[in-house]
Amino acid sequence: MSEVHAARRARLRERCTAGGCAALVSRAANVRYLTDGAPPGAALLLAPDHDVLVLPREPWAEPERGWPPEGVEQVVLPSADGDCAVAAAELADRIGVQGLAVEEHHLTVARHRELARAAPRLRLTDLDRAVEQLRLVKEDDEIAALRVAAEITDHALGELLESILVGRTERHLALELERRLVDHGADSAAFPPHVGTGPNAGAPNHHPGDRRVEEGDFLTVCLGACYRGYRCEVGRTFVVGSEPASWQIELYELVFAAQRAGREALAPGAAYRDVDRAVRQVVDRAGHGDLLGSSVGHGVGLEIHEDPRLSPAAVGKLDACVPVTVEPGVYLPGRGGVRIDDTLVVRPVTDGGPELLTITTKELLAL
Amino acid sequence: MSEVHAARRARLRERCTAGGCAALVSRAANVRYLTDGAPPGAALLLAPDHDVLVLPREPWAEPERGWPPEGVEQVVLPSADGDCAVAAAELADRIGVQGLAVEEHHLTVARHRELARAAPRLRLTDLDRAVEQLRLVKEDDEIAALRVAAEITDHALGELLESILVGRTERHLALELERRLVDHGADSAAFPPHVGTGPNAGAPNHHPGDRRVEEGDFLTVCLGACYRGYRCEVGRTFVVGSEPASWQIELYELVFAAQRAGREALAPGAAYRDVDRAVRQVVDRAGHGDLLGSSVGHGVGLEIHEDPRLSPAAVGKLDACVPVTVEPGVYLPGRGGVRIDDTLVVRPVTDGGPELLTITTKELLAL
C-alpha cells in the first residue's frame, strides 16, 4: 500500500505547497488516508521537500503491514501531554517554510491559536477540505474494501431476517446486528446499528430502545460493516408477522419509488442536487415532501459520512468511482415510517451504470 | 428536573452575561447539561434577560419528562440544512446584546467565521470552558445516576467472570460486555469496551481484535455503563486458567499499589498533579515510570472524559463531589500489562473519604 499513500501525498503536495508553503493535516481520517495506520492524534506535515509524521508519545500498536510509511520522517512527541499538530507547526516554523495551510474546518479556534503561537513566523492559511476532495473519488482498492464491507453487511442482515423477531427489543436487535457484523469479518460496525419498531420505525434520530417488536409493526434496520477502515451502510424496512396493512404498502411503495429514482439518477456528471431532486419529486408528488429529511444520501469511505452530500443546497457533480448512499425515509409521526438505504458506486452507463454494493432484497417482506 | 436546569443556567448567566453580553453554548454535552434532553445539534443562547434554545429542523424524539425546559424560548431552524449555533448568533445580533461569548474550544475556525458573519454587529469573545467548570462538581442526582451506572457495570463484569473465557476472541468478549451492560439496564455502553489478552493486555490504544484468550494470559477489560446520560468506568486485569507467573504477580502488585496510592490521595483540596504524583512515585520506584501513560485518571459525568485530568501538568485542586477515575496501567511491550481502573467520588475524610463506586474485587483472580 505504501506507493498508494505516497501518490496521495504527492497529489496533495502538488495542490497545496506552491510557493514554498507547507500543509498541516490533523483530521484523523485525513491523516489515515495519507499515511495508513497512523494512530489517533497524529499529525502530518507536508513540506515542499519532505513529509514529517508527528506521533503521540503514548505507545501504540503499529499496523502489521506497510509501516512505517516510506519517505516519511517520523517524530515522536517529547511529552505525553503534547499536541501533535502544535508540534508539527513548530517544526514548520523551524525549517522555515513560507506559510502553513491548516484544516480550519477541523481545528477549533482555541487549538488554532496554539498553532499560531507555536509558529510565530508563519502565516496560517486555510487548507480547507483539500484532503476530503482527494478522498472523494475512490481507488480500486478502496472500492474493493467497500465491496467486502457490503457483503458482510448483507450477510449479517440476512441472518437477522431468519431469526425470530417478535418480542425482542430494539436494543437487543441492534447489538445482535453488531455481533453478526463482527462474526462475518468486520473490523467493527461502521456506526451503531439503528433499529426502530412500530411508531419508532423510520424515525430520524431514534436510538434503539426498550420497545419490543410486535405483530403488524413496521421494523426498520440500518447497519453497516467497517472493513479495512472502509464503511458502508444498508437500510431496510419490513413488516412483522402479518400481511402488511394498506397504509404500510402505500408508504413503502412511495419510498421504494423515490429511492429507485435516486439510484437511477446516479451518473458521472449528475449534479448532487439533481439526485436529491429526483428523490424529492417523487415524495413531493405524494404530498409528503415535508416529511423527507434534509438530505437523501451521502458519500462513504473511511468515514460513514463523507462528501458529497446529496441535498437541495449541495453544489457539485458526481464523478465515476464515488461511492454514495441513497436513503430516503418518510416518517409519519406516531405511526412509523419507511427508510430504504443502499450503498452504490457511481459508474458510467458504458460500465453498466451505478454499481449496487448492498444487494439485500428491497421487496416488502413480512417477517 | 427542570428547576435543576434552570438553576444551572442561572449560575452560568451570573458568570457570563455581565455588561449586557450573551453566551452561546454549542457543545452537545454542555447544551444537555443546561437543558436536559435537547437533540444533537441544538444550541443555547443565554441572553441577559432570556434564554433561547435553537433546535434543528429534523424531527426528533422529545424526552418523556421535563420537556420543554421551563423558561426557555424554543426556536426551530427554518431550513433543514442550517446550523443552530449560527442561527443563535444571528438572533443575538438581532436582539442587540453587547457581545457574544462562544465556545472557542469547541467551535472550528470555519464555523466561528460563519458565526461572526451571522452576527456582524457583535464582538465575539471566548466563553472558554465555563460550562465544563460548572459541570465539574456534581449534584446529588448526578452522583446517584453514576452510582447506578457503576452498579450495572459491576454486574456485567461479574457475569463475564463466571463464564468460560479460554478460546474466545477479544472482540466477542467486548461485544458480550456491551450486551450485558444493556441487559442490566444501561442506556448504552459509556464507551466501546476494551479487552486485551496476552501481549495485548493493558496495551494503550489497543482495539479488541481476533486474538483468542489462552491459558496463562493476562486479560484486561475496561468497560462502563451509561445511565441517564452519566458514564462511569471500571478496569480490571486477570490471569487466565492457571496460577499466575511470578512476573505477573510482581507487575500486578506494583500497579495495585500505585492505584491504591492514587485512590488514597483523593481528597478535597488535593492538587490534580499530586494525585498523579502519588501514583507515579510508586511506579517510578520500581523503575517502570516511563511505561506509565500521560495521565492516571480523569473526571467522568455526561462524558466519559471530563475535567479534571489527573496528570503531571494539570493545574487545579479537587473538590468534594467530583467523580474521577484512578486508572494506572503499566505495559511491558510484547509481554502484556496490567491496568486497574476505578470510578470514585471525592469526599472529605469526615464523610468517610473517597466513595468507591465500582466495587468489583481488585484481588488478582485466576479465572
Side-chain angles (χ1 to χ4, degrees), chain A residues 233-304:
Chain A
E233 62 178 73
V234 68
R236 293 290 185 267
T237 301
F238 309 99
V239 168
V240 177
S242 51
E243 283 296 294
S246 61
W247 72 273
Q248 289 176 320
I249 296 176
E250 210 173 294
L251 193 61
Y252 193 91
E253 284 178 352
L254 171 64
V255 176
F256 180 82
Q259 203 252 3
R260 186 176 55 202
R263 282 186 280 122
E264 289 173 357
L266 297 178
Y272 302 150
R273 61 173 59 157
D274 288 346
V275 179
D276 178 89
R277 189 161 52 208
V279 174
R280 216 164 279 274
Q281 273 177 349
V282 176
V283 182
D284 272 344
R285 251 182 262 130
H288 285 321
D290 56 324
L291 298 176
L292 205 63
S294 55
S295 97
V296 305
H298 54 80
V300 295
L302 288 172
E303 293 171 291
I304 190 63

Side-chain angles (χ1 to χ4, degrees), chain B residues 218-293:
Chain B
F218 261 146
L219 168 68
T220 51
V221 298
C222 184
L223 68 152
C226 175
Y227 180 75
R228 299 206 172 154
Y230 284 81
R231 292 159 201 264
C232 73
E233 62 180 71
V234 69
R236 292 290 183 268
T237 302
F238 309 99
V239 168
V240 177
S242 49
E243 282 296 292
S246 61
W247 72 273
Q248 290 176 319
I249 295 176
E250 211 173 295
L251 193 60
Y252 193 90
E253 284 179 350
L254 171 64
V255 176
F256 179 82
Q259 203 250 2
R260 186 176 52 199
R263 281 186 282 123
E264 289 173 354
L266 296 179
Y272 302 150
R273 61 173 59 156
D274 288 344
V275 179
D276 178 90
R277 189 162 52 209
V279 173
R280 217 165 280 274
Q281 274 176 347
V282 176
V283 182
D284 271 345
R285 252 182 261 131
H288 284 322
D290 56 325
L291 298 175
L292 204 62

Side-chain angles (χ1 to χ4, degrees), chain A residues 104 113 171-172 183 187, chain B residues 104 113 171-172 183 187:
Chain A
E104 294 191 353
R113 192 160 44 222
R171 237 193 272 263
H172 275 103
D183 276 343
D187 307 339
Chain B
E104 294 191 353
R113 193 159 45 223
R171 237 194 269 265
H172 274 103
D183 277 344
D187 307 338

